[in-house]
Amino acid sequence: MQSIDLNCDMGEAFGNYPMPNDDTLMDYITSANIACGYHAGDPEVMQHTVAMAIKKNVAIGAHPGLPDLQGFGRRDMKISANEAYQITLYQIGALYGFVKAAGGKLHHVKAHGALYNMAAKDAALAKAIVQAVHDFDSSLILYALAGSEMVEAAKKTGIVTASEVFADRTYQDDGSLTPRTQSNALITDEQQSIAQVLLMVKNQQVISANKKTINLKAETLCLHGDGAHAVEFAKMINKKLKSEGITIKAPAQ
């Protein structure tokens, strides 16, 4: 039987800026990637999001990003491999503190935004992030873009990966995500998004923005939680996958 993990980036509120969908979204996902305070999140938000994930039996992941609150971690920064290692290790440790205090278990790590996309193509950054995960806890699963340098680095280091695909992002011919700076980066039509999800999960393929068929490995599907219809969309995707006989569950650690 086919299966897929539904993951969502969460805990990205900060101070007086709320993310009102998070608690409800937990009902339709199986993994939560929780911001660790660099691109978003703060101690109060981290504590609350961890507690909610434990309550709803959702797998908890650290979601480290670049130190760029103003740009929400989505702007490229020129950092060294060692800096990538340091900021990844630092943020995993920050979230782990709340997970341990709440009696939970850390399940995975997924880089955020620009850090994720940079490391998908830069072998040195990928190796550094993977090494940070390994050095913190080699049993953690790395969530990374299907076919990326991070997946390759994890294989060499002995870290288990979950190859990630996206419901609402378009793809380039090389399997990378279309940069958000381009007008066609996001899929806003729900039916188009659902069709892409089913093709990825059932056929392990996606159609690029240039209409090229690309083979990819789909083990975890990212649903973004910050859209106006995020909850309705997550509920719809969850229901549609189950109706197709697809099991929704987090990867085994």
Side-chain angles (χ1 to χ4, degrees):
M1 182 179 290
Q2 286 184 307
S3 67
I4 191 73
D5 171 51
L6 296 185
N7 81 72
C8 189
D9 301 344
M10 297 200 139
E12 293 181 321
F14 183 81
N16 291 326
Y17 300 92
M19 285 288 182
N21 295 329
D22 279 14
D23 290 3
T24 308
L25 276 165
M26 291 270 192
D27 294 330
Y28 306 107
I29 64 170
T30 41
S31 296
N33 321 307
I34 302 176
C36 307
Y38 266 30
H39 75 276
D42 61 28
E44 181 178 3
V45 172
M46 291 163 74
Q47 182 186 46
H48 172 82
T49 311
V50 164
M52 190 58 58
I54 292 172
K55 179 181 178 181
K56 298 195 175 186
N57 197 31
V58 171
I60 298 171
H63 194 38
L66 294 171
D68 181 20
L69 277 174
Q70 187 174 2
F72 197 63
R74 287 179 174 161
R75 301 182 293 190
D76 286 2
M77 294 176 65
K78 189 172 178 59
I79 61 172
S80 67
N82 193 43
E83 285 174 314
Y85 175 90
Q86 292 164 353
I87 65 175
T88 301
L89 187 63
Y90 182 92
Q91 290 175 84
I92 296 172
L95 187 72
Y96 176 73
F98 289 102
V99 175
K100 186 175 187 299
K105 182 181 181 182
L106 194 61
H107 173 264
H108 65 275
V109 176
K110 174 188 166 182
H112 166 81
L115 182 62
Y116 179 100
N117 290 319
M118 288 158 55
K121 296 184 176 182
D122 187 316
L125 291 181
K127 182 179 178 181
I129 291 171
V130 167
Q131 194 63 49
V133 174
H134 176 274
D135 292 351
F136 187 87
D137 181 350
S138 61
S139 74
L140 294 174
I141 301 170
L142 179 75
Y143 284 26
L145 183 68
S148 66
E149 289 288 347
M150 277 209 283
V151 172
E152 291 304 310
K155 287 178 183 176
K156 294 174 183 176
T157 313
I159 292 291
V160 174
T161 60
S163 291
E164 184 176 38
V165 294
F166 289 78
D168 62 352
R169 295 292 300 275
T170 62
Y171 283 76
Q172 296 295 286
D173 291 349
D174 63 355
S176 64
L177 299 177
T178 303
R180 284 180 177 269
T181 52
Q182 296 185 24
S183 60
N184 65 336
L186 295 175
I187 299 173
T188 55
D189 180 86
E190 287 185 351
Q191 294 308 312
Q192 181 185 352
S193 181
I194 289 171
Q196 175 163 296
V197 167
L198 292 177
L199 182 65
M200 291 189 296
V201 176
K202 297 178 76 172
N203 294 21
Q204 304 288 293
Q205 293 179 326
V206 70
I207 307 300
S208 75
N210 295 323
K211 308 303 180 185
K212 180 181 177 182
T213 300
I214 304 164
N215 295 321
L216 46 64
K217 195 172 186 178
E219 295 174 317
T220 183
L221 173 70
C222 179
L223 303 176
H224 285 110
D226 52 357
H229 306 289
V231 173
E232 292 86 349
F233 182 68
K235 184 177 181 180
M236 186 186 306
I237 287 287
N238 185 297
K239 184 178 179 180
K240 183 64 176 176
L241 288 169
K242 288 178 178 176
S243 74
E244 295 281 335
I246 297 163
T247 301
I248 300 173
K249 63 179 182 179
Q253 191 173 11

